[in-house]
Each structure stands twice: as structure tokens, then as C-alpha cells.
Amino acid sequence: MTQWRRLRGDVLVGELSEYGCDQPFFLARFTPGPGWESVRELFEAWAALTGPDPDGSRTVAVLKPLQDLELRLAPVDGRQPSLQVLKNCILRIDGSEVRLRY
């Protein structure tokens, strides 16, 4: 399975190790890196977002700050191109569990 490094600029935010699939998402384990604390609250807010959001305003309020970070996923093996989070892929982290769609 693919392993990814999640980066903010050159700072390692964490690593993902894919272990399975729940279509359309890949499932992965998350290991925090040195840059995790600077973005942790934003991902926790997204993980906590549940229930109806008819006009999408709650979702936008949570995702916009994440999108503005311009985080990217870089494959460890370098065989695939890097992906920009919330542009080329969806990345949802809840504790050590990740759902990734690209």
C-alpha cells in the first residue's frame, strides 16, 4: 500500500500508511510529525463536523482554513505526483485514522 508524507511547505505534518479501502476512500493510519500541532485543531474541527448542513456554510467555515494552509501529500516512493489537500484529494483525519480520496 502507498505511504504518504503530509507537508506544509517543507515541514512534516505527519505520515499516512494506507491499509485498506472503503470505496471511494482509501483507509490509512496517521502518525503525527513535528508540524502536526500547528494544524491539529483544524482537522479536529472537520472530524467533529456531523449532521445536516443544507446550505454548506458550516462545512465551508471548517474547510476554508484547511484549504488556505496549502498542505500537500507527497508519496514516500516518489512514483506518484504530490497531491494538494482539498484540491487534488480529500483528507479527513480522526485521531490515528485517515480517510483519503484522490
Side-chain angles (χ1 to χ4, degrees), residues 43-62:
F43 278 94
E44 287 176 349
W46 190 17
L49 185 66
T50 60
D53 186 13
D55 67 356
S57 61
R58 290 183 332 145
T59 302
V60 168
V62 169

Side-chain angles (χ1 to χ4, degrees), residues 22 25-28 90-93 97-101:
D22 182 15
F25 293 94
F26 292 95
L27 306 175
I90 302 294
L91 176 69
R92 190 165 184 154
I93 299 172
E97 293 296 315
V98 176
R99 296 177 72 79
L100 171 64
R101 181 176 183 178

Side-chain angles (χ1 to χ4, degrees), residues 23-94:
Q23 285 297 334
F25 293 94
F26 292 95
L27 306 175
R29 302 258 187 260
F30 176 69
T31 305
W36 173 241
E37 285 304 312
S38 67
V39 299
R40 180 182 53 81
E41 288 182 9
L42 297 174
F43 278 94
E44 287 176 349
W46 190 17
L49 185 66
T50 60
D53 186 13
D55 67 356
S57 61
R58 290 183 332 145
T59 302
V60 168
V62 169
L63 292 183
K64 179 67 171 129
L66 275 170
Q67 188 176 25
D68 290 345
L69 293 174
E70 297 185 1
L71 297 172
R72 64 185 168 89
L73 289 178
V76 172
D77 64 13
R79 287 190 233 169
Q80 299 174 4
S82 292
L83 302 172
Q84 188 171 340
V85 176
L86 298 176
K87 182 175 181 181
N88 307 113
C89 66
I90 302 294
L91 176 69
R92 190 165 184 154
I93 299 172
D94 190 0

